[in-house]
Amino acid sequence: MAAHRPVEWVQAVVSRFDEQLPIKTGQQNTHTKVSTEHNKECLINISKYKFSLVISGLTTILKNVNNMRIFGEAAEKNLYLSQLIILDTLEKCLAGQPKDTMRLDETMLVKQLLPEICHFLHTCREGNQHAAELRNSASGVLFSLSCNNFNAVFSRISTRLQELTVCSEDNVDVHDIELLQYINVDCAKLKRLLKETAFKFKALKKVAQLAVINSLEKAFWNWVENYPDEFTKLYQIPQTDLAECAEKLFDLVDGFAESTKRKAAVWPLQIILLILCPEIIQDISKEGFDENNINKKLFLDSLRKALAGHGGSRQLTESAAIACVKLCKASTYINWEDNSVIFLLVQSMVVDLKNLLFNPSKPFSRGSQPADVDLMIDCLVSCFRISPHNNQHFKICLAQNSPSTFHYVLVNSLHRIITNSALDWWPKIDAVYCHSVELRHMFGETLNKAMQGCGAHPAIRMAPSLTFKEKVTSLKFKEKPTDLETRSYKYLLLSMVKLIHADPKLLLCNPRKQGPETQSSTAELITGLVQLVPQSHMPEIAQEAMEALLVLHQLDSIDLWNPDAPVETFWEISSQMLFFICKKLTSHQMLSSTEILKWLREILICRNKFLLKNKQADRSSCHFLFLCGVGCDVPASGNSSQMSMDHDELLRTCVPGASLRKGKGNSSMDSTAGCSGTPPICRQAQTKLEVALYMFLWSPDTEAVLVAMSCFRHLCEEADIRCGVDEVSVHNFLPNYNTFMEFASVSNMMSTGRAALQKRVMALLRRIEHPTAGNTEAWEDTHAKWEQATKLILNYPKTKMEDGQAAESLHKTIVKRRMSHVSGGGSIDLSDTDSLQEWINMTGFLCALGGVCLQQRSSSGLATYSPPMGPVSERKGSMISVMSSEGNVDTPVSRFMDRLLSLMVCNHEKVGLQIRTNVKDLVGLELSPALYPMLFNKLKNTISKFFDSQGQVLLTDSNTQFVEQTIAIMKNLLDNHTEGSSEHLGQASIETMMLNLVRYVRVLGNMVHAIQIKTKLCQLVEVMMARRDDLSFCQEMKFRNKMVEYLTDWVMGTSNQAADDDVKCLTRDLDQASMEAVVSLLAGLPLQPEEGDGVELMEAKSQLFLKYFTLFMNLLNDCSEVEDENAQAGGRKRGMSRRLASLRHCTVLAMSNLLNANVDSGLMHSIGLGYHKDLQTRATFMEVLTKILQQGTEFDTLAETVLADRFERLVELVTMMGDQGELPIAMALANVVPCSQWDELARVLVTLFDSRHLLYQLLWNMFSKEVELADSMQTLFRGNSLASKIMTFCFKVYGATYLQKLLDPLLRIVITSSDWQHVSFEVDPTRLEPSESLDENQRNLLQMTEKFFHAIISSSSEFPSQLRSVCHCLYQATCHSLLNKATVKEKKENKKSVVSQRFPQNSIGAVGSAMFLRFINPAIVSPYEAGILDKKPPPRIERGLKLMSKILQSIANHVLFTKEEHMRPFNDFVKSNFDLARRFFS
């Protein structure tokens, strides 16, 4: 589209940009932010090629947005964000404007875009809270616009100046003149501006003149700051034309300054205009100067007097200060080497200037603090650049008793010195490093005052103590700061944090200090910054503190923490920071926790870079790493206080201990050498980090989950680095290393949905193998939050109403923070979907990770990870001991499971259904396999309470709901082949629970819901039997017999009674499910009757068999009747027909399984069905019998004699013959066995009947049926019928030796004899080679055929007797069949004589045709496959054998060649041998 229709494509991109603005989509999230940024980049790139289209589209969007009517604070914020996005995009597009844009573009920009930009510059005043940002952004657009379209902007300004020269009004609009402040100005453009204003200045009204004066000054600084080289060059090569314009305007402005007030207004511009005239400055510095410059000389004298306080007016003094600062600032852009006289001018004023601005006893003030501060910053920066070593004013600003404004000015000045792009002669910031101590002290003081003023916990200053035991003191204030003071401290604190971010070395530098003191100061600095991170009431400071800490964790910065012992210091300080942040994250005391987690990920990356750099450093330091990581483990159960040290104690750990005083690089670490004392802070930090990452996995924010998962990668990288030091296993540091790496790999799946991501998270949690302090604490903390959240959910809205306005206001204040954030406040809003989603995620987390915590409880309290829990075989025993306690041990996991089971019947009016559904799914699909035994026991115990002491069912809605949920959970659990599930499924028996479930469900009745529950229970039984090998049974056979007894009661229970079609479908579904369950239960199940009936065991088994078999036959009959009814009803009930077909199949399988496992007691009852008068019944019995033969009977539990007896009886049954020689069982098998298994059936039947000397009877029945079905003699045995398979098997078994003896000599002569070496047998003219002769080939083929035929005819005496019997049987069967057919035909046509004459010939022909087709010719055509030859004959011989087989088959069939033209020459030979062949067959 972009190539063929560029205009439409660009418009589509612009429309997409418009649609995704916050004002259209609402509050932005991470996804929409990324999408918006992508759209911006796309438009910026397109604008390089389609500039006009993009700018026009963006201008239209901006105009539409500006005209929108909005209501509410949220809409106002979205409008502001949308305007900022549009303006920023415009600025970048204009900055990259192609140089070859048409003139039309400039016109368009002036008419359309410029008015919209001016709207922001003119109308966004201080009343709008976003005015400053919008004005700055709009000024950036105007600046970029004026770069390539200066004429358009200048024209607007010039036109307005012209209008104002003739305007008679006093209050005129000067907004267009103010555009001078924002445009891009180089030397040539400045010259045009000065010339234009000088030309029209005198004719302007006073208001316009003041606007020009103010705007020109800012235009000058735009030039100097953006084109400093041009300004510097001005003092090397003066420009006369520019100086003339400046001088002219100076004189005009000087004339305008008639009063003190006007002088104060114009002095700042006058000094700038004078700076533009270097030759004039040079002239007036001499004693004899040009009289034309007398007014310039007087101006400078007035300036000096006013600066010294002799001007007679405070207003002039303030203006003089401003002008002098401008002079100083401009002088810094001139190289000292140019020896300009301007520096003498600066030096003559700078002392008075500094005395005026930096006087602590009399602070400079003009009533506008921001302007005063900007002026002082400009002065301080300029003085530093002029004389960096004259730092007396620095000391004044640093003094503790100086006003806070001085501190603010100093800090911002230093920040500007660091961040401004430096000119070659500007001094570097390192000249100020000597003041690092004072700056750190200022940071500490400011931090304490800001925190105290906000009502927060005051920041704790680190004492310069050298031991861990010395107390840490904090500043105490007599009075709490006022709100105004607090605000000023916040501004100062923000500036100081930005300063650290800009150059961390400025506050890290510790000249001439020992290692411990250096470490102490670094710890104090970082501790202060860390405490700012969670300050939600100071979001900008918190964000900047994170950036500063990130910079402090860069490689170069970490080396400065303590150059004497960098690795030890890094571990102590960085680990302390990590611990503090993670503790805040886990307690959910941070609003922007996702952003903090992203920042934490960057910190981890920096840490790993440092570790990698120092991996091969001093071995003693590396040994320290090992000690910190492996020396101790924090006990995870029941003692969380050991991992959450007191706040002061945590801070003390950052102070260098006595062990570090022993010398450089000493890492004896007395306090961490053993496991008996407090664990090292680095180990605590790692644990807390694990806890935080685990707990973020259940966040409803997908981005937070993905970030947490990606952090696991950096944990693993740290372990890789540390394990390489002493070549220890990585699992010593991270026992669950492999799973953590899988978490990291999944974090790249950005496109996944929230539900899919949580499912993947829970799958990985179940793979956590080793209990650690981190995952155990994470589980317990999550469990505590889950309990609290559960209470709030169950009490909603009651809790909310009781809490009243306090809870409501709290909820509104935190702007719907996540549920876990407010869980401690006793309020929750279920209208916020994230709240319930977080509860669901927590539930899944606890289910998936609970197994590891159970292992922790069952362990013996191992102190180290070597290995974490011992071999699996050792752990299993302890686990079983816990599991086998029927769930009575009161552990957090047990309490969680109890609570979870109670929620299975939650009836909360608002979220009850969601809770029940999610609990069912999570327990059934996401539960850790290690918790299966506990779950089974708890379910068993709960369901057992649904029966009274006499065993009667206590039927209630709640109990029924619990039973239904249990069935669903158990089915999901058994159906879900979770990794490791097989190991745990068998640790608790489910027999009692399953029997109780069936007993309960049996009494539910036949209502729709009851039928559905029964159906689900039957499906559960089927799944249970599929997992039979993984489950443990105490009395399996008795249990399964009881289940069969219960479930068969439901078959046909209500299906015939239901009047409604839907209910009929449900009951048929129940029949189907019941039979499927019964099929699985009956597989290999010997029937076990109830004891104590006073009946002999075999008789009782026989009666029980008859009961079930009769039930199944009735069900089959019922299916047949209903199918007949549906067939008559037409196609309206196809769905029911499909159900019945499936039900019939299951019933047959059940009968097969029943008879298969109970042949001894069931055969006598079932054998009679084979002779039943009803054809359908006989067919069913044959089908059952076939299933048994296919599956093989279950004889594993019987003695050998019984086995032999049963097999004998089965053979007798199959070979059973009727009174007239019929074989009902065998023929029935022929009807029901699929054709794909006919080869195997033929083998079985021939083997069985031959062993009983009944092969002739089998062949007679099979051949007779084949002849009856044949259309003619030519089609007889041509297809793949069972009779053909049996004949082929007989020929193969009984004729192999005969064929070998007959054909082997003949074939070897043809292949090996020299007379036949080069003979060809090809008789098809189309396939002849050019060198071959057709006549000769025909003779060759005839010669070989004659030789083979006569050998076959001569072998009649050697023909096997078994095959003679087969052929005789075929002959008799053919005669009998033809006689029957002729008799019928004779009755119809009275042509008995014709048929009688054809009997013998047709019968003999049938025998010969079959013998050659199925026996001799296959061996001739494929002698290698038949086993006669060791290798395949050559292709020419193969061709000859194939053609010969055709001739032999024609002789056997008594048929001449008619269709194949090339075979007709052999008809004479074929015909001449008919009689000879007939005699052979006879």
Side-chain angles (χ1 to χ4, degrees), residues 695 698 775-791 839 842-843 845-847 849-850 853 857 890-900:
M695 293 180 71
W698 46 258
N775 56 40
T776 307
E777 184 183 347
W779 193 95
E780 291 177 350
D781 286 357
T782 302
H783 179 235
K785 295 180 186 302
W786 180 84
E787 281 285 0
Q788 179 69 14
T790 304
K791 291 176 183 176
W839 181 88
M842 279 196 284
T843 308
F845 175 89
L846 295 171
C847 286
L849 195 60
C853 298
R857 294 288 172 185
D890 188 25
T891 64
V893 179
S894 178
R895 291 195 296 273
F896 167 68
M897 293 297 293
D898 289 335
R899 183 71 156 170
L900 210 54

Side-chain angles (χ1 to χ4, degrees), residues 73 240 335 428 436 502 783 801 824 834 839 913 1208 1319 1410 1439:
E73 185 179 343
T240 307
N335 197 335
K428 302 294 186 277
S436 294
H783 179 235
M801 290 186 293
D834 276 357
W839 181 88
L913 177 60
E1208 185 67 24
V1319 173
R1439 177 63 177 165

